[in-house]
Amino acid sequence: MTKRDFATINLAGAGLAGSLMAVYLAQKGYAVNVYERRPDMRKVEGDQGRSINLALSVRGIQALRETGMEEHVMKMAIPMYGRMIHDENGLQTFQAYSRDRKSCIYSISRAELNKSLMTMAESFEGIRFHFNKACEEMDFSSGKLVVKDTISGEKSVAPGTITLACDGAFSAIRYDMQKTPRFDFSQTYLAHGYKELTIPPGAGGTFLLEKHALHIWPRGHFMMIALPNPDGSFTCTLFFPFEGEKSFANLSTTEAVHTFFSEYFPDTLPLIPDLLNDFFANPTSSLVTIRCYPWIWEDKVALIGDAAHAIVPFFGQGMNAAFEDCTVLNQCMEEHGSDWGKIFAEYQQLRKNNAEAIANMALENFVEMRDTVADERFLFRKKVEHLLGQKFGPYFSRYELVSFSRIPYEEAYRRGLINQAILDELTDGRSDLAEIDFEKAETLINERLGADFTIPGFA
Amino acid sequence: MTKRDFATINLAGAGLAGSLMAVYLAQKGYAVNVYERRPDMRKVEGDQGRSINLALSVRGIQALRETGMEEHVMKMAIPMYGRMIHDENGLQTFQAYSRDRKSCIYSISRAELNKSLMTMAESFEGIRFHFNKACEEMDFSSGKLVVKDTISGEKSVAPGTITLACDGAFSAIRYDMQKTPRFDFSQTYLAHGYKELTIPPGAGGTFLLEKHALHIWPRGHFMMIALPNPDGSFTCTLFFPFEGEKSFANLSTTEAVHTFFSEYFPDTLPLIPDLLNDFFANPTSSLVTIRCYPWIWEDKVALIGDAAHAIVPFFGQGMNAAFEDCTVLNQCMEEHGSDWGKIFAEYQQLRKNNAEAIANMALENFVEMRDTVADERFLFRKKVEHLLGQKFGPYFSRYELVSFSRIPYEEAYRRGLINQAILDELTDGRSDLAEIDFEKAETLINERLGADFTIPGFA
């Protein structure tokens, strides 16, 4: 057996999770080689093939804080305190995310955040980024990673025998793992795709919609959303079926697109001047959920972020979950020193079920955002839910637990089911706040959710 | 656009489905090149890495009949009329498969069947087998298939632009399809593995257990089964967890294996003389379920059999389902001539849901075989079920519908659920046949299963 070198770590992918994880590792004294198959995005123009906007929340911010990058990043972030619902007539209604109306998620540019994380990571002596280097082949028995230069075609063996795969939903390393014995794997696509459009800034960089909200145009089986950018623009994303009567396939002419927007999103027509050009110039992208197990191979390989658990974007948790993977992996490193077998085993054990939970919640939230958010019944239950939160300490909505706390996703899911049962008991057959039995509510909450449950940051 | 040659078809894999499909195609006048990455199994000794015995039933036999291969194949087949249950004391109880006790499934050797199908296929002028030729790369836009000689390493482009992928659960062509847009895919392993053992023939080639039965040793969370071979031997398969207290991982010494068999399968100890050698010499294999969609790429590629829908073996339907794919594809060819776009689209539409249904039934049947088959309650319900079948024309057990009829698997699944509901109503709270209300039974059956439902081959 050759002596293994634990001081050098291979990191596949210089995306968000890869750049962050590199810093966690460098802070622990590891030398880190980051292999990225694409060119350095700071030096080339062009689409990265991914959504332009992200929602950063508490779990992601925690990781940035621990790596000393919070302050810098938050300068690029725009707080959003709730959803602004746009109906077919252009009427807007604000729904706060939290009972204190102070908690927020942050709109941030994926590309700017990524570039910024790379640059901060590069300032660590131990971190080296290697661009145009694709992970070509993983030898799981030795832990050796073969890297291929995408320009010269030359292959080389990376130093080190530990690889962290942060190479995204279509992870090359996971494709290799797929052929190892008893590797469970699934990739599942939604019938909906998405297309991005732009609302440019108003005169002098003003915001033409409310700046501090996530805008939603819920239309039942489809929806559009918009997130603010620092320059005053908004990035809109239309989530729409690929096929069927109302589908991208049937929006094949400028007339059809114009008619469609006039009917469903009339208030956006004056705001999106390049609609017809952009609609046909921009790609229609797909939405995948990736699940797999195991995430690790002995003490040699671990999958992190989208490589292990790509999810749909409807809870705004993809990046936050990936960053939380890094936070947890760092905790495991603190606990187990350089025993990577134990580090990886505990990381997987702590994260797998939580990844499943957020994957399922993200799928469920699509229905909420595109459909029920505009429903009378939903709004009444939301009102009751906010009151329960304001009146009774231990009651937090699932959205609050996921977005404003760091309790495990699995626990958020579990408490969310209890919340729904409590709301059923309190609201079934009622439609007026005066009819709600708040004494019963308090009893139910204390019994089922625990009288002393709190999350930091809430009164 | 280059002119496409519809007269030559590429077939990936010379396994059971590939050899059969080649004959269906040759009968329609196509030239067929079969590419098999392994050597010719008729010329080399050695394990094919797959289960030794198969259960052939009506769906499979139908395909053999249509291709003129039934008579030859059935000479190798041993009829099994039911399950022989072995309890911990060696007591044996026979459970017939069908109400008429005449319907049977057939034990057949995978290797002998495969060799025989290959030889019969080769007698067709249009069919050529190419061994040691791996399907290396599929260009979906042109339909061109690159084949690699596994000995010389030489690559060549196969003639023709239509490929039928019969290359099994780990299909190379499906791996390429996995990277095409919006391809849904999952591979899921059971926590159980399997190991094959042998009961040799008695003196003069006699059978040491009942020849015409599928033997089961149900033990709750695990089981052993045995199928007869023409030479008087039985192939035993132990289905057992990989890990845990009672698991392959814990049967690591000859003492442990001997103690385990003495406790759970005492009647097999005198029958398996090479138990301890074979147990450690034979591999422990895994059990996978593969699901994917789509199965086709335009008019160029279709997945068939395990490549599209590998299932666990507990309904004895893996090969039968694959053969039925070929039968259905042949029907689609008859309907749509050489319009392969239509042929493939209809094939997929007719088969996908049926494959899902048999995949689910195969997983469910594992629980029945290893556990409930030995349960008093199960046995009582089985008795009632057989009586319903004998008394009332339209009542067929799910097992009969799957194994002795060719009604779509999805329909067998649907009727199976209705059966269970009827049995619940008739047997709940009762444990004596005298308590069963057969008038009510007739009403329920006629109402819910249709008074005039019949399947051929039953009185």
Side-chain angles (χ1 to χ4, degrees):
Chain A
M1 223 177 93
T2 49
K3 188 174 166 292
R4 289 181 55 197
D5 176 9
F6 288 113
T8 300
I9 307 246
N10 298 319
L11 224 153
L16 299 169
S19 304
L20 172 75
M21 193 65 222
V23 176
Y24 267 124
L25 290 164
Q27 287 177 336
K28 289 264 176 300
Y30 289 98
V32 187
N33 287 303
V34 182
Y35 300 99
E36 168 58 52
R37 89 182 148 76
R38 284 180 277 218
D40 188 341
M41 66 192 299
R42 294 164 299 182
K43 295 178 185 162
V44 295
E45 280 294 309
D47 192 287
Q48 303 300 314
R50 302 292 297 278
S51 161
I52 296 167
N53 282 83
L54 297 166
L56 175 63
S57 55
V58 165
R59 294 163 203 265
I61 293 168
Q62 174 71 20
L64 295 170
R65 185 172 304 152
E66 291 180 6
T67 50
M69 302 195 285
E70 178 189 11
E71 197 186 344
H72 186 80
V73 166
M74 295 314 282
K75 287 178 192 155
M76 301 185 278
I78 299 174
M80 301 181 288
Y81 295 93
R83 297 164 171 167
M84 186 69 83
I85 309 299
H86 296 240
D87 76 9
E88 275 95 341
N89 302 314
L91 190 70
Q92 300 183 34
T93 318
F94 184 74
Q95 298 178 3
Y97 279 131
S98 73
R99 61 206 206 181
D100 64 5
R101 304 179 81 88
K102 287 178 199 155
S103 299
C104 61
I105 60 176
Y106 294 87
S107 176
I108 195 161
S109 151
R110 168 187 285 273
E112 293 310 313
L113 174 58
N114 205 342
K115 290 175 192 174
S116 171
L117 294 184
M118 277 182 191
T119 300
M120 288 188 280
E122 256 176 354
S123 72
F124 284 80
E125 208 182 342
I127 301 177
R128 252 193 88 192
F129 283 86
H130 307 265
F131 295 99
N132 305 306
K133 302 276 187 192
C135 295
E136 178 76 359
E137 205 188 318
M138 186 79 225
D139 178 345
F140 291 97
S141 64
S142 68
K144 286 291 180 192
L145 173 68
V146 176
V147 174
K148 181 180 172 178
D149 189 299
T150 58
I151 294 164
S152 70
E154 205 177 309
K155 293 182 187 179
S156 56
V157 176
T161 55
I162 297 171
T163 298
L164 303 183
C166 307
D167 50 347
F170 303 100
S171 167
I173 290 169
R174 195 196 58 231
Y175 280 122
D176 282 351
M177 256 172 116
Q178 196 187 314
K179 298 182 186 181
T180 62
R182 297 167 60 209
F183 184 76
D184 282 346
F185 172 74
S186 78
Q187 57 185 44
T188 314
Y189 287 86
L190 287 192
H192 290 69
Y194 70 91
K195 189 183 283 287
E196 293 188 327
L197 301 164
T198 303
I199 296 176
T206 52
F207 288 83
L208 297 179
L209 295 172
E210 166 58 43
K211 177 181 177 181
H212 294 293
L214 190 155
H215 296 264
I216 310 182
W217 290 257
R219 296 295 179 264
H221 284 291
F222 59 93
M223 70 172 177
M224 191 157 72
I225 66 170
L227 277 77
N229 298 311
D231 68 356
S233 68
F234 286 85
T235 305
C236 305
T237 311
L238 171 64
F239 296 94
F240 199 49
F242 277 102
E243 277 140 40
E245 196 201 322
K246 279 176 196 158
S247 72
F248 282 116
N250 274 347
L251 291 185
S252 55
T253 63
T254 52
E255 289 80 1
V257 173
H258 186 84
T259 304
F260 173 71
F261 272 75
S262 305
E263 184 174 353
Y264 291 104
F265 312 119
D267 58 334
T268 68
L269 273 183
L271 300 174
I272 313 179
D274 287 333
L275 171 64
L276 299 181
N277 282 333
D278 286 358
F279 194 91
F280 293 102
N282 294 350
T284 307
S285 304
S286 59
L287 296 157
V288 72
T289 299
I290 300 272
R291 304 172 200 261
C292 65
Y293 191 82
W295 289 4
I296 61 173
W297 183 274
E298 298 172 354
D299 54 356
K300 299 185 179 73
V301 179
L303 306 176
I304 293 175
D306 284 1
H309 52 77
I311 62 179
V312 294
F314 307 107
F315 222 121
Q317 286 293 313
M319 170 183 61
N320 292 291
F323 281 14
E324 197 170 57
D325 285 349
C326 300
T327 301
V328 169
L329 189 56
N330 185 58
Q331 285 164 7
C332 298
M333 284 160 60
E334 280 173 7
E335 197 172 332
H336 299 294
S338 61
D339 186 338
W340 285 90
K342 282 192 185 161
I343 292 168
F344 284 168
E346 190 175 358
Y347 158 72
Q348 169 176 268
Q349 201 265 319
L350 288 170
R351 292 304 286 167
K352 170 62 184 167
N353 289 351
N354 288 315
E356 282 292 323
I358 190 60
N360 293 332
M361 289 191 282
L363 288 164
E364 289 171 23
N365 232 39
F366 186 24
V367 181
E368 177 169 324
M369 287 178 82
R370 76 184 193 219
D371 197 351
T372 45
V373 85
D375 180 82
E376 277 301 321
R377 198 71 211 151
F378 173 86
L379 294 174
F380 177 64
R381 286 168 65 102
K382 263 284 170 232
K383 258 189 215 158
V384 175
E385 182 159 57
H386 275 189
L387 276 174
L388 296 183
Q390 282 157 13
K391 285 174 185 285
F392 308 111
Y395 191 95
F396 295 92
S397 72
R398 188 168 88 171
Y399 192 92
E400 289 172 317
L401 295 170
V402 168
S403 303
F404 308 130
S405 96
R406 294 176 57 228
I407 72 161
Y409 289 126
E410 201 183 9
E411 175 68 7
Y413 192 83
R414 191 186 73 82
R415 292 180 70 95
L417 293 177
I418 299 172
N419 287 356
Q420 289 307 311
I422 291 175
L423 283 173
D424 288 347
E425 286 194 42
L426 296 176
T427 64
D428 276 3
R430 299 176 183 85
S431 54
D432 192 316
L433 286 180
E435 298 172 279
I436 302 299
D437 180 347
F438 285 104
E439 262 181 59
K440 183 179 173 192
E442 186 167 20
T443 309
L444 290 176
I445 289 167
N446 289 338
E447 274 175 19
R448 299 191 196 166
L449 292 168
D452 53 359
F453 180 82
T454 56
I455 60 175
F458 280 88
Chain B
M1 222 176 100
T2 49
K3 190 174 164 292
R4 289 181 58 198
D5 176 7
F6 288 111
T8 299
I9 308 246
N10 298 320
L11 222 153
L16 299 169
S19 303
L20 172 75
M21 193 65 222
V23 176
Y24 267 123
L25 290 164
Q27 286 177 337
K28 288 264 178 300
Y30 289 99
V32 187
N33 286 303
V34 183
Y35 299 100
E36 169 57 52
R37 89 183 148 77
R38 284 181 277 216
D40 188 341
M41 67 191 297
R42 293 164 301 182
K43 295 178 184 161
V44 295
E45 281 293 310
D47 192 285
Q48 303 300 318
R50 302 293 297 279
S51 160
I52 296 168
N53 282 83
L54 296 167
L56 175 63
S57 54
V58 165
R59 294 164 204 265
I61 293 169
Q62 174 71 19
L64 295 170
R65 185 171 304 151
E66 290 180 5
T67 49
M69 303 194 286
E70 179 189 10
E71 196 186 343
H72 186 81
V73 166
M74 295 313 283
K75 286 177 192 154
M76 302 185 279
I78 299 174
M80 301 182 289
Y81 294 92
R83 296 165 171 166
M84 186 69 84
I85 308 300
H86 296 241
D87 76 9
E88 274 94 340
N89 302 313
L91 189 71
Q92 299 183 35
T93 318
F94 184 74
Q95 299 179 1
Y97 279 131
S98 73
R99 62 206 206 179
D100 63 5
R101 303 177 83 87
K102 288 178 198 153
S103 299
C104 62
I105 60 176
Y106 294 87
S107 175
I108 194 161
S109 151
R110 168 187 286 273
E112 293 311 311
L113 174 59
N114 205 341
K115 288 175 192 174
S116 172
L117 294 184
M118 277 183 193
T119 300
M120 287 188 281
E122 257 177 352
S123 73
F124 284 80
E125 208 184 340
I127 301 176
R128 252 192 88 192
F129 283 86
H130 308 264
F131 295 101
N132 304 306
K133 301 277 187 192
C135 294
E136 177 77 0
E137 206 189 319
M138 186 77 227
D139 178 346
F140 291 97
S141 64
S142 68
K144 287 289 179 193
L145 173 68
V146 176
V147 174
K148 182 180 172 178
D149 188 299
T150 59
I151 295 163
S152 69
E154 205 177 308
K155 292 181 189 180
S156 56
V157 176
T161 54
I162 296 171
T163 297
L164 303 184
C166 305
D167 51 347
F170 303 100
S171 167
I173 290 169
R174 195 197 57 230
Y175 279 122
D176 282 352
M177 256 172 113
Q178 196 188 314
K179 298 181 186 180
T180 61
R182 297 168 60 211
F183 184 76
D184 282 347
F185 172 74
S186 78
Q187 57 184 44
T188 314
Y189 287 87
L190 288 191
H192 290 68
Y194 70 92
K195 190 183 283 289
E196 293 188 328
L197 300 164
T198 303
I199 297 177
T206 53
F207 288 85
L208 296 179
L209 294 172
E210 165 58 42
K211 177 182 178 183
H212 294 292
L214 191 155
H215 296 264
I216 310 182
W217 290 257
R219 295 297 179 264
H221 284 292
F222 58 93
M223 70 170 176
M224 191 157 71
I225 66 170
L227 277 77
N229 298 311
D231 68 356
S233 68
F234 286 84
T235 305
C236 305
T237 311
L238 172 64
F239 295 96
F240 200 49
F242 277 102
E243 277 141 39
E245 197 201 324
K246 280 176 196 156
S247 71
F248 282 117
N250 274 347
L251 291 185
S252 55
T253 64
T254 53
E255 288 81 359
V257 173
H258 186 84
T259 305
F260 173 71
F261 272 75
S262 306
E263 185 173 353
Y264 291 103
F265 312 118
D267 58 335
T268 68
L269 274 183
L271 300 174
I272 313 179
D274 287 333
L275 171 65
L276 299 179
N277 281 335
D278 286 358
F279 193 90
F280 292 103
N282 294 349
T284 307
S285 304
S286 58
L287 296 156
V288 72
T289 300
I290 301 271
R291 303 172 201 262
C292 66
Y293 191 82
W295 290 3
I296 61 172
W297 183 274
E298 298 173 355
D299 54 357
K300 300 185 179 73
V301 179
L303 306 176
I304 293 175
D306 283 3
H309 52 76
I311 63 178
V312 294
F314 305 109
F315 224 120
Q317 286 293 312
M319 169 183 60
N320 293 290
F323 281 14
E324 197 170 57
D325 285 350
C326 300
T327 302
V328 169
L329 188 56
N330 184 58
Q331 283 163 9
C332 298
M333 284 160 60
E334 281 174 8
E335 197 172 330
H336 299 295
S338 61
D339 186 338
W340 284 90
K342 281 191 185 163
I343 292 167
F344 284 167
E346 190 177 358
Y347 158 72
Q348 168 175 269
Q349 200 265 318
L350 287 171
R351 293 304 288 166
K352 170 62 183 168
N353 289 350
N354 288 315
E356 281 292 323
I358 190 60
N360 293 333
M361 289 192 281
L363 288 165
E364 289 171 23
N365 232 38
F366 187 24
V367 181
E368 176 169 324
M369 287 179 81
R370 77 185 192 218
D371 198 350
T372 45
V373 85
D375 181 82
E376 278 301 323
R377 199 69 210 151
F378 174 85
L379 293 174
F380 177 64
R381 287 170 65 101
K382 263 282 172 237
K383 260 188 212 155
V384 175
E385 182 159 57
H386 275 189
L387 277 174
L388 296 183
Q390 281 156 14
K391 285 174 187 283
F392 308 110
Y395 190 94
F396 294 92
S397 73
R398 188 169 88 170
Y399 192 90
E400 289 172 318
L401 295 170
V402 168
S403 303
F404 308 130
S405 95
R406 295 176 55 228
I407 73 161
Y409 289 126
E410 201 183 9
E411 174 67 7
Y413 192 83
R414 191 187 71 82
R415 293 181 69 96
L417 293 177
I418 298 171
N419 287 356
Q420 289 307 312
I422 291 174
L423 283 172
D424 288 347
E425 284 193 43
L426 296 176
T427 64
D428 275 4
R430 301 177 182 84
S431 54
D432 193 317
L433 286 181
E435 297 173 279
I436 302 299
D437 181 348
F438 285 104
E439 262 181 61
K440 184 178 174 193
E442 185 168 21
T443 309
L444 291 175
I445 288 167
N446 289 339
E447 274 176 18
R448 299 191 196 166
L449 292 168
D452 53 359
F453 180 82
T454 57
I455 60 175
F458 280 89

